[in-house]
Amino acid sequence: MVEPLRSDSPVLVIGLGRYGAACAGELDRLDRDVLAVDADLALVQKWSERVTHTVQADARNVEALKQIGAQDFQVAVVATGSSIEASVLITANLVDLKVPQIWAKATSQSHGKILSRVGANHVIYPEREAGERVAHLVSGRMLDFIRFDDDFVLAKMFPPKFIRGVTLADSGVRTKYHVTVVGVKSPAKPFHYAEANTVVTNHDLIIVSGTNEDVERFAALDR
């Protein structure tokens, strides 16, 4: 079992393509101590002004990783994806250096299986996840969609007519459609937690949780 780490643990990000650079930049914005690494000097120089610590190194070489202190990190993100061989080798190197938590980007299911087998704790499929999200959004029923597990999702949408103007308890949304309204956003106001006595208006947006099938069915109701 992977033990939870402190929220301020330094993070090693390997690969400064679009995915890795976005990850490193956001971590840096959140005041996390980040070391971003890439073999391409041009990419290292490009991102040196946006990420506090950047270094050129070939992470496929375990000795190069040792020289930059990779073994001292508790968390590493392998963001390389163009070369499956490189990402697998880098992940294996981090495992050999006993980095406790390794997040690795995969470009396919088979790639992800290999990463898991060599020791990645978390395998991420950004292209697949983005594709799934867009598929739900282009239907026009949802404004945002996030999958948290194989069959559990959160979705932002306009409320169906039958829950408007009555409390959520009276609408029976949970018993009828097996979804939960967890948040409501009124115009010019931030999202707030939904409660049994919350009344949704015509101008509100709602956040709904449930299984993929139930949320899809709920999103298809008359608006």
Side-chain angles (χ1 to χ4, degrees):
M1 180 178 179
V2 178
E3 294 185 2
L5 298 172
R6 290 168 36 201
S7 61
D8 59 350
S9 297
V11 182
L12 176 66
V13 177
I14 300 174
L16 280 171
R18 284 175 294 182
Y19 178 79
C23 178
E26 186 66 10
L27 285 166
D28 193 70
R29 189 187 68 79
L30 294 171
D31 294 325
R32 293 290 292 271
D33 190 7
V34 181
L35 175 61
V37 180
D38 201 287
D40 188 333
L41 180 60
L43 286 175
V44 171
Q45 292 175 335
K46 175 182 178 181
W47 293 104
S48 62
E49 295 181 0
R50 305 187 197 184
V51 180
T52 306
H53 305 292
T54 56
V55 65
Q56 181 190 20
D58 186 352
R60 295 172 299 179
N61 185 329
V62 70
E63 294 301 322
L65 284 174
K66 288 180 181 178
Q67 289 177 11
I68 64 173
Q71 65 276 8
D72 298 325
F73 283 82
Q74 298 295 298
V75 186
V77 178
V78 182
T80 56
S82 57
S83 169
I84 294 177
E85 180 182 356
S87 71
V88 171
L89 182 55
I90 292 167
T91 301
N93 285 342
L94 293 170
V95 171
D96 289 343
L97 293 176
K98 295 180 171 53
V99 175
Q101 286 204 22
I102 303 169
W103 297 71
K105 172 188 172 183
T107 57
S108 66
Q109 195 71 29
S110 57
H111 182 193
K113 287 182 179 180
I114 296 171
L115 290 169
S116 294
R117 286 173 182 170
V118 299
N121 309 100
H122 309 274
V123 177
I124 308 138
Y125 300 90
E127 287 87 359
R128 185 183 73 184
E129 291 166 4
E132 289 178 351
R133 178 172 176 269
V134 170
H136 288 277
L137 300 185
V138 296
S139 69
R141 297 170 179 170
M142 302 183 195
L143 301 174
D144 208 348
F145 176 92
I146 302 172
R147 184 188 299 278
F148 285 94
D149 207 337
D150 289 344
D151 199 33
F152 185 82
V153 303
L154 279 178
K156 178 170 72 173
M157 64 184 72
F158 292 107
K161 289 181 179 178
F162 85 95
I163 72 169
R164 302 178 191 178
V166 297
T167 66
L168 289 175
D170 290 337
S171 72
V173 60
R174 187 178 296 181
T175 55
K176 291 178 182 177
Y177 296 96
H178 310 294
V179 300
T180 301
V181 178
V182 296
V184 179
K185 186 182 189 310
S186 300
K189 295 181 180 179
F191 271 103
H192 61 272
Y193 290 113
E195 299 177 351
N197 61 352
T198 297
V199 177
V200 178
T201 73
N202 291 333
H203 307 291
D204 291 338
L205 294 175
I206 58 173
I207 299 291
V208 176
S209 68
T211 66
N212 182 69
E213 182 180 355
D214 287 337
V215 170
E216 284 280 7
R217 186 163 60 103
F218 184 73
L221 297 174
D222 184 21
R223 276 158 174 70

